[in-house]
Amino acid sequence: MKINLTKMMMLLTMFLSIMTALSTSSMLMIWTMMEINLMSFLPIMTKSKSMKDQPMKYFIVQSLASSIMLMSMLMNSMTETPLGSSIMLMSSLLMKMGLLPFHMWVPMIMKPMTWENCFILMTMQKIVPTIIMSQMVGLKLMLMPMCLTMVMAPIMAIKQMSMKTIMAYSSISNSPWMIMSLMNSKSQFVTFFSIYTVINMMIIKKMKIMNFMFLNQVKTQSNPNKMSIIVNILSMSGMPPMIGFFPKWMILQSTMNFSLVIAMSMVTSSILSTFIYMKMISPILMITSMSKKTTMKKKWTENDLVVNTTGTILCLMMKSF
Protein backbone atom coordinates (compact mmCIF):
# COMPACT_ATOMS: atom_id res chain seq x y z
CA MET A 1 0.00 0.00 0.00
CA LYS A 2 1.40 3.38 -1.08
CA ILE A 3 1.40 6.19 1.44
CA ASN A 4 1.16 9.72 0.10
CA LEU A 5 3.43 11.63 2.50
CA THR A 6 2.45 15.06 1.12
CA LYS A 7 -1.23 14.38 1.70
CA MET A 8 -0.56 13.03 5.20
CA MET A 9 1.52 16.08 6.09
CA MET A 10 -1.13 18.50 4.80
CA LEU A 11 -3.92 16.68 6.67
CA LEU A 12 -1.84 16.77 9.84
CA THR A 13 -1.23 20.51 9.38
CA MET A 14 -4.97 21.04 8.86
CA PHE A 15 -5.79 19.10 12.00
CA LEU A 16 -3.18 20.98 14.07
CA SER A 17 -4.36 24.37 12.79
CA ILE A 18 -7.95 23.53 13.78
CA MET A 19 -6.84 22.37 17.24
CA THR A 20 -4.76 25.55 17.72
CA ALA A 21 -7.67 27.76 16.64
CA LEU A 22 -9.94 25.96 19.14
CA SER A 23 -7.51 26.42 22.03
CA THR A 24 -6.62 30.11 21.60
CA SER A 25 -8.50 33.22 22.72
CA SER A 26 -6.79 35.67 20.31
CA MET A 27 -8.75 36.62 17.20
CA LEU A 28 -5.54 37.29 15.27
CA MET A 29 -4.26 33.80 16.12
CA ILE A 30 -7.56 32.26 14.99
CA TRP A 31 -7.31 34.20 11.72
CA THR A 32 -3.73 32.96 11.21
CA MET A 33 -4.76 29.35 11.84
CA MET A 34 -7.59 29.69 9.31
CA GLU A 35 -5.05 30.84 6.71
CA ILE A 36 -2.74 27.88 7.50
CA ASN A 37 -5.77 25.60 7.20
CA LEU A 38 -6.56 27.07 3.77
CA MET A 39 -2.95 26.68 2.57
CA SER A 40 -2.95 23.05 3.75
CA PHE A 41 -6.16 22.20 1.89
CA LEU A 42 -5.09 23.67 -1.47
CA PRO A 43 -2.34 21.05 -2.19
CA ILE A 44 -4.81 18.28 -1.36
CA MET A 45 -7.24 19.77 -3.92
CA THR A 46 -4.60 20.06 -6.63
CA LYS A 47 -3.59 16.37 -6.25
CA SER A 48 -6.71 15.21 -8.14
CA LYS A 49 -6.51 15.28 -11.95
CA SER A 50 -10.11 16.45 -12.42
CA MET A 51 -9.40 19.79 -10.70
CA LYS A 52 -8.40 22.46 -13.23
CA ASP A 53 -9.08 25.97 -11.99
CA GLN A 54 -11.14 24.97 -8.93
CA PRO A 55 -8.29 25.40 -6.36
CA MET A 56 -7.76 28.96 -7.62
CA LYS A 57 -11.49 29.73 -7.32
CA TYR A 58 -11.52 28.32 -3.80
CA PHE A 59 -8.39 30.31 -2.90
CA ILE A 60 -9.89 33.59 -4.23
CA VAL A 61 -13.15 33.14 -2.29
CA GLN A 62 -11.41 32.17 0.95
CA SER A 63 -8.72 34.86 0.74
CA LEU A 64 -11.37 37.52 0.03
CA ALA A 65 -13.33 36.35 3.08
CA SER A 66 -10.14 36.40 5.19
CA SER A 67 -9.31 39.93 4.02
CA ILE A 68 -12.80 41.16 4.94
CA MET A 69 -12.51 39.45 8.32
CA LEU A 70 -9.14 41.09 9.04
CA MET A 71 -10.51 44.46 7.90
CA SER A 72 -13.51 44.14 10.24
CA MET A 73 -11.20 43.30 13.17
CA LEU A 74 -8.99 46.35 12.44
CA MET A 75 -11.96 48.70 12.00
CA ASN A 76 -13.60 47.51 15.21
CA SER A 77 -10.36 47.94 17.17
CA MET A 78 -10.01 51.49 15.82
CA THR A 79 -13.59 52.53 16.58
CA GLU A 80 -13.76 50.44 19.79
CA THR A 81 -17.12 48.90 18.85
CA PRO A 82 -18.02 45.29 19.73
CA LEU A 83 -17.27 42.64 17.10
CA GLY A 84 -20.69 41.07 17.72
CA SER A 85 -22.41 43.90 15.83
CA SER A 86 -20.02 43.89 12.86
CA ILE A 87 -21.78 43.12 9.56
CA MET A 88 -18.36 42.82 7.85
CA LEU A 89 -17.27 40.04 10.21
CA MET A 90 -20.55 38.19 9.70
CA SER A 91 -20.29 38.56 5.90
CA SER A 92 -16.74 37.18 5.87
CA LEU A 93 -17.78 34.15 7.95
CA LEU A 94 -20.86 33.55 5.78
CA MET A 95 -18.54 33.59 2.75
CA LYS A 96 -16.07 31.20 4.40
CA MET A 97 -18.80 28.70 5.32
CA GLY A 98 -20.72 29.10 2.06
CA LEU A 99 -24.02 30.26 3.54
CA LEU A 100 -26.55 32.44 1.76
CA PRO A 101 -26.12 34.90 0.07
CA PHE A 102 -22.47 33.82 -0.55
CA HIS A 103 -23.23 30.17 -1.28
CA MET A 104 -22.78 29.67 -5.03
CA TRP A 105 -19.08 28.74 -4.83
CA VAL A 106 -19.80 25.57 -2.78
CA PRO A 107 -21.65 23.45 -5.44
CA MET A 108 -19.46 24.91 -8.20
CA ILE A 109 -16.23 23.83 -6.47
CA MET A 110 -17.53 20.51 -5.10
CA LYS A 111 -18.82 19.17 -8.43
CA PRO A 112 -15.40 18.29 -9.97
CA MET A 113 -13.76 17.39 -6.62
CA THR A 114 -13.00 13.86 -5.48
CA TRP A 115 -15.29 12.38 -2.80
CA GLU A 116 -12.52 12.54 -0.16
CA ASN A 117 -12.01 16.26 -0.75
CA CYS A 118 -15.77 16.81 -0.64
CA PHE A 119 -15.81 15.12 2.76
CA ILE A 120 -13.03 17.40 4.10
CA LEU A 121 -14.80 20.50 2.75
CA MET A 122 -18.13 19.48 4.33
CA THR A 123 -16.72 18.63 7.76
CA MET A 124 -13.22 19.79 8.82
CA GLN A 125 -13.30 23.12 6.98
CA LYS A 126 -16.45 24.21 8.83
CA ILE A 127 -15.26 23.80 12.42
CA VAL A 128 -13.35 27.09 12.94
CA PRO A 129 -15.84 29.44 11.14
CA THR A 130 -18.70 27.79 13.07
CA ILE A 131 -17.00 28.45 16.40
CA ILE A 132 -16.20 32.09 15.53
CA MET A 133 -19.72 32.74 14.25
CA SER A 134 -21.46 31.23 17.28
CA GLN A 135 -19.27 33.06 19.80
CA MET A 136 -18.52 36.41 18.13
CA VAL A 137 -21.59 37.31 16.05
CA GLY A 138 -24.90 38.27 17.67
CA LEU A 139 -27.99 36.11 17.09
CA LYS A 140 -30.10 39.05 15.86
CA LEU A 141 -27.56 39.74 13.14
CA MET A 142 -27.42 36.08 12.05
CA LEU A 143 -31.19 35.48 12.15
CA MET A 144 -31.97 36.41 8.52
CA PRO A 145 -29.00 34.66 6.79
CA MET A 146 -29.49 31.47 8.84
CA CYS A 147 -33.23 31.23 8.19
CA LEU A 148 -32.71 31.95 4.48
CA THR A 149 -29.96 29.32 4.26
CA MET A 150 -32.05 26.61 5.94
CA VAL A 151 -35.08 27.20 3.70
CA MET A 152 -33.51 28.15 0.35
CA ALA A 153 -30.68 25.55 0.15
CA PRO A 154 -33.06 22.52 -0.05
CA ILE A 155 -35.27 24.39 -2.56
CA MET A 156 -32.25 24.97 -4.82
CA ALA A 157 -31.31 21.29 -4.53
CA ILE A 158 -34.71 20.01 -5.72
CA LYS A 159 -33.93 20.19 -9.46
CA GLN A 160 -30.33 18.95 -9.18
CA MET A 161 -29.31 15.58 -10.61
CA SER A 162 -25.62 15.47 -9.62
CA MET A 163 -24.99 13.73 -6.29
CA LYS A 164 -22.09 16.03 -5.41
CA THR A 165 -24.27 19.12 -5.97
CA ILE A 166 -27.03 17.65 -3.78
CA MET A 167 -24.47 16.88 -1.06
CA ALA A 168 -23.14 20.46 -1.37
CA TYR A 169 -26.61 21.95 -0.79
CA SER A 170 -27.17 19.46 2.04
CA SER A 171 -23.94 20.70 3.64
CA ILE A 172 -25.09 24.34 3.25
CA SER A 173 -28.46 23.62 4.91
CA ASN A 174 -26.79 21.72 7.79
CA SER A 175 -24.36 24.56 8.61
CA PRO A 176 -26.94 26.68 10.55
CA TRP A 177 -27.77 23.57 12.61
CA MET A 178 -24.08 23.40 13.58
CA ILE A 179 -24.01 27.08 14.56
CA MET A 180 -27.20 26.79 16.64
CA SER A 181 -25.96 23.60 18.35
CA LEU A 182 -22.79 25.40 19.48
CA MET A 183 -24.82 28.41 20.66
CA ASN A 184 -26.91 26.02 22.78
CA SER A 185 -24.07 24.00 24.30
CA LYS A 186 -20.68 22.48 23.43
CA SER A 187 -21.91 18.93 24.07
CA GLN A 188 -24.71 19.42 21.52
CA PHE A 189 -22.21 20.62 18.92
CA VAL A 190 -19.89 17.65 19.54
CA THR A 191 -22.85 15.22 19.31
CA PHE A 192 -24.28 16.77 16.13
CA PHE A 193 -20.92 17.20 14.40
CA SER A 194 -19.77 13.65 15.24
CA ILE A 195 -22.99 12.05 13.96
CA TYR A 196 -23.07 14.31 10.88
CA THR A 197 -19.45 13.36 10.09
CA VAL A 198 -20.12 9.62 10.49
CA ILE A 199 -23.21 9.73 8.24
CA ASN A 200 -21.34 11.78 5.61
CA MET A 201 -18.43 9.35 5.74
CA MET A 202 -20.71 6.34 5.19
CA ILE A 203 -22.57 8.02 2.30
CA ILE A 204 -19.38 9.22 0.60
CA LYS A 205 -17.69 5.83 1.02
CA LYS A 206 -20.70 4.16 -0.60
CA MET A 207 -20.84 6.70 -3.46
CA LYS A 208 -17.13 6.23 -4.18
CA ILE A 209 -17.28 2.41 -4.19
CA MET A 210 -20.31 2.39 -6.51
CA ASN A 211 -19.04 5.29 -8.67
CA PHE A 212 -22.41 6.88 -8.03
CA MET A 213 -22.44 10.38 -9.59
CA PHE A 214 -26.05 10.99 -10.75
CA LEU A 215 -29.49 10.19 -9.39
CA ASN A 216 -30.54 7.94 -12.30
CA GLN A 217 -27.65 5.55 -11.53
CA VAL A 218 -29.42 4.31 -8.40
CA LYS A 219 -31.60 1.87 -10.41
CA THR A 220 -28.58 -0.11 -11.58
CA GLN A 221 -27.28 -0.95 -8.10
CA SER A 222 -27.58 -4.28 -6.27
CA ASN A 223 -30.13 -4.76 -3.46
CA PRO A 224 -27.64 -4.46 -0.53
CA ASN A 225 -26.27 -1.24 -2.02
CA LYS A 226 -29.80 0.11 -2.50
CA MET A 227 -30.67 -0.72 1.11
CA SER A 228 -27.49 0.99 2.31
CA ILE A 229 -28.29 4.14 0.30
CA ILE A 230 -31.88 4.25 1.66
CA VAL A 231 -30.74 3.92 5.28
CA ASN A 232 -27.99 6.53 5.01
CA ILE A 233 -30.14 9.03 3.11
CA LEU A 234 -33.02 8.72 5.60
CA SER A 235 -30.55 9.21 8.44
CA MET A 236 -29.16 12.35 6.78
CA SER A 237 -32.66 13.78 6.39
CA GLY A 238 -33.32 13.30 10.12
CA MET A 239 -35.97 10.58 9.89
CA PRO A 240 -36.72 8.72 13.15
CA PRO A 241 -35.58 6.21 14.41
CA MET A 242 -32.32 6.74 12.47
CA ILE A 243 -29.28 8.13 14.27
CA GLY A 244 -29.44 11.46 12.38
CA PHE A 245 -32.80 12.35 13.95
CA PHE A 246 -31.74 12.64 17.60
CA PRO A 247 -29.12 15.44 17.45
CA LYS A 248 -31.53 17.50 15.34
CA TRP A 249 -34.30 16.84 17.83
CA MET A 250 -32.06 18.02 20.72
CA ILE A 251 -31.06 21.20 18.85
CA LEU A 252 -34.69 21.96 17.93
CA GLN A 253 -35.83 21.52 21.55
CA SER A 254 -33.14 23.91 22.83
CA THR A 255 -33.68 26.47 20.04
CA MET A 256 -37.44 26.71 20.69
CA ASN A 257 -36.70 28.26 24.11
CA PHE A 258 -35.22 31.46 22.65
CA SER A 259 -36.09 31.72 18.93
CA LEU A 260 -39.28 30.38 17.37
CA VAL A 261 -38.37 31.84 13.96
CA ILE A 262 -35.18 29.73 13.70
CA ALA A 263 -37.05 26.68 15.06
CA MET A 264 -39.74 27.04 12.36
CA SER A 265 -37.02 27.46 9.70
CA MET A 266 -35.37 24.27 10.99
CA VAL A 267 -38.61 22.30 10.68
CA THR A 268 -39.27 23.69 7.17
CA SER A 269 -35.69 22.87 6.13
CA SER A 270 -36.03 19.27 7.39
CA ILE A 271 -39.30 18.77 5.50
CA LEU A 272 -37.82 20.11 2.25
CA SER A 273 -34.63 18.05 2.70
CA THR A 274 -36.69 14.90 3.31
CA PHE A 275 -38.58 15.59 0.07
CA ILE A 276 -35.28 15.75 -1.88
CA TYR A 277 -33.95 12.56 -0.30
CA MET A 278 -37.25 10.74 -0.88
CA LYS A 279 -37.07 11.78 -4.54
CA MET A 280 -33.61 10.22 -4.59
CA ILE A 281 -34.72 6.87 -3.16
CA SER A 282 -38.19 6.69 -4.76
CA PRO A 283 -36.89 4.82 -7.87
CA ILE A 284 -35.56 2.11 -5.53
CA LEU A 285 -38.80 1.83 -3.60
CA MET A 286 -41.30 2.17 -6.48
CA ILE A 287 -39.71 0.48 -9.51
CA THR A 288 -39.19 -3.27 -9.24
CA SER A 289 -36.32 -4.78 -11.18
CA MET A 290 -37.23 -7.07 -14.11
CA SER A 291 -33.95 -8.97 -13.96
CA LYS A 292 -33.77 -12.57 -12.80
CA LYS A 293 -33.82 -12.86 -9.02
CA THR A 294 -30.76 -14.60 -7.64
CA THR A 295 -29.96 -15.59 -4.10
CA MET A 296 -27.27 -13.56 -2.38
CA LYS A 297 -24.21 -15.68 -1.77
CA LYS A 298 -22.06 -13.11 -0.05
CA LYS A 299 -22.83 -12.13 3.50
CA TRP A 300 -23.76 -8.64 4.63
CA THR A 301 -20.56 -6.74 5.24
CA GLU A 302 -22.18 -3.34 5.59
CA ASN A 303 -22.24 -1.55 8.92
CA ASP A 304 -24.50 1.26 7.70
CA LEU A 305 -27.72 -0.38 8.91
CA VAL A 306 -26.22 -1.16 12.31
CA VAL A 307 -24.84 2.36 12.81
CA ASN A 308 -28.00 4.15 11.72
CA THR A 309 -30.49 2.07 13.67
CA THR A 310 -28.66 2.75 16.95
CA GLY A 311 -30.90 5.84 17.05
CA THR A 312 -33.52 3.83 18.98
CA ILE A 313 -30.95 2.99 21.67
CA LEU A 314 -29.95 6.68 21.82
CA CYS A 315 -33.60 7.60 22.38
CA LEU A 316 -33.78 5.31 25.39
CA MET A 317 -30.45 6.60 26.72
CA MET A 318 -31.62 10.22 26.47
CA LYS A 319 -34.27 9.56 29.12
CA SER A 320 -31.48 9.44 31.71
CA PHE A 321 -30.09 12.90 30.84
Side-chain angles (χ1 to χ4, degrees):
M1 179 178 144
K2 289 182 181 179
I3 300 171
N4 193 330
L5 290 174
T6 310
K7 194 171 183 179
M8 280 181 66
M9 188 178 73
M10 291 301 158
L11 284 169
L12 182 63
T13 313
M14 279 175 65
F15 183 74
L16 289 173
S17 65
I18 290 166
M19 289 296 106
T20 312
L22 296 183
S23 57
T24 185
S25 57
S26 166
M27 276 298 289
L28 192 62
M29 190 67 174
I30 292 170
W31 181 84
T32 311
M33 288 303 113
M34 285 171 78
E35 293 307 295
I36 293 169
N37 193 8
L38 166 65
M39 291 302 172
S40 306
F41 186 49
L42 286 173
I44 298 171
M45 286 179 76
T46 50
K47 279 284 177 186
S48 58
K49 293 175 183 176
S50 59
M51 303 295 281
K52 293 175 184 175
D53 54 346
Q54 305 303 321
M56 185 52 69
K57 288 177 185 175
Y58 181 73
F59 174 72
I60 290 166
V61 170
Q62 294 294 318
S63 57
L64 178 62
S66 297
S67 304
I68 296 168
M69 185 179 172
L70 191 62
M71 190 71 182
S72 69
M73 285 157 58
L74 290 169
M75 284 178 69
N76 278 270
S77 64
M78 285 168 66
T79 55
E80 293 184 359
T81 52
L83 267 174
S85 58
S86 172
I87 296 173
M88 277 181 75
L89 178 68
M90 185 192 71
S91 302
S92 67
L93 291 167
L94 289 175
M95 198 183 291
K96 269 201 169 293
M97 287 191 75
L99 303 188
L100 264 75
F102 310 104
H103 66 286
M104 287 311 295
W105 65 268
V106 182
M108 180 182 68
I109 284 171
M110 269 183 69
K111 202 171 181 181
M113 282 170 79
T114 60
W115 281 115
E116 291 94 340
N117 292 346
C118 289
F119 175 71
I120 294 169
L121 189 64
M122 288 192 292
T123 53
M124 284 177 73
Q125 296 299 95
K126 287 191 173 185
I127 298 172
V128 182
T130 301
I131 287 163
I132 301 171
M133 192 172 275
S134 62
Q135 293 183 353
M136 300 301 297
V137 185
L139 183 63
K140 287 182 181 177
L141 207 61
M142 288 195 297
L143 191 68
M144 185 63 75
M146 281 174 65
C147 292
L148 270 174
T149 301
M150 283 190 281
V151 175
M152 291 304 295
I155 291 171
M156 286 185 281
I158 285 172
K159 288 192 175 181
Q160 299 297 330
M161 290 299 290
S162 168
M163 278 307 302
K164 284 180 182 173
T165 313
I166 290 170
M167 291 299 287
Y169 282 116
S170 168
S171 171
I172 292 167
S173 65
N174 274 299
S175 294
W177 287 87
M178 282 187 207
I179 297 163
M180 287 310 301
S181 68
L182 193 55
M183 290 184 84
N184 293 333
S185 71
K186 288 174 186 173
S187 58
Q188 265 191 25
F189 172 72
V190 171
T191 306
F192 179 77
F193 188 78
S194 304
I195 292 173
Y196 174 73
T197 305
V198 168
I199 296 167
N200 260 314
M201 191 166 60
M202 290 192 295
I203 291 175
I204 283 169
K205 181 191 168 190
K206 188 58 63 180
M207 300 293 177
K208 189 188 174 189
I209 291 168
M210 298 189 303
N211 197 21
F212 188 21
M213 301 298 288
F214 296 96
L215 282 181
N216 54 7
Q217 287 178 280
V218 77
K219 300 173 194 175
T220 61
Q221 304 300 328
S222 62
N223 286 336
N225 286 338
K226 286 179 181 178
M227 188 66 193
S228 181
I229 292 166
I230 290 171
V231 169
N232 282 317
I233 289 300
L234 288 178
S235 188
M236 178 68 86
S237 67
M239 188 81 72
M242 304 298 175
I243 198 170
F245 166 71
F246 294 98
K248 287 192 173 184
W249 185 25
M250 286 192 294
I251 296 163
L252 189 60
Q253 261 186 329
S254 304
T255 308
M256 281 176 72
N257 296 329
F258 59 89
S259 178
L260 280 173
V261 178
I262 295 177
M264 287 300 294
S265 301
M266 284 175 166
V267 173
T268 311
S269 173
S270 291
I271 293 165
L272 290 167
S273 299
T274 308
F275 174 75
I276 296 159
Y277 296 134
M278 288 304 290
K279 185 187 82 169
M280 193 188 299
I281 64 174
S282 59
I284 310 172
L285 299 173
M286 304 297 176
I287 302 167
T288 55
S289 175
M290 296 300 290
S291 60
K292 186 181 175 183
K293 302 293 183 293
T294 54
T295 54
M296 280 171 48
K297 289 183 181 178
K298 67 173 186 177
K299 293 180 182 178
W300 276 76
T301 56
E302 301 299 329
N303 298 320
D304 303 7
L305 193 64
V306 179
V307 171
N308 281 297
T309 48
T310 49
T312 314
I313 302 159
L314 276 177
C315 180
L316 298 170
M317 285 172 65
M318 278 168 64
K319 287 285 183 184
S320 59
F321 292 113

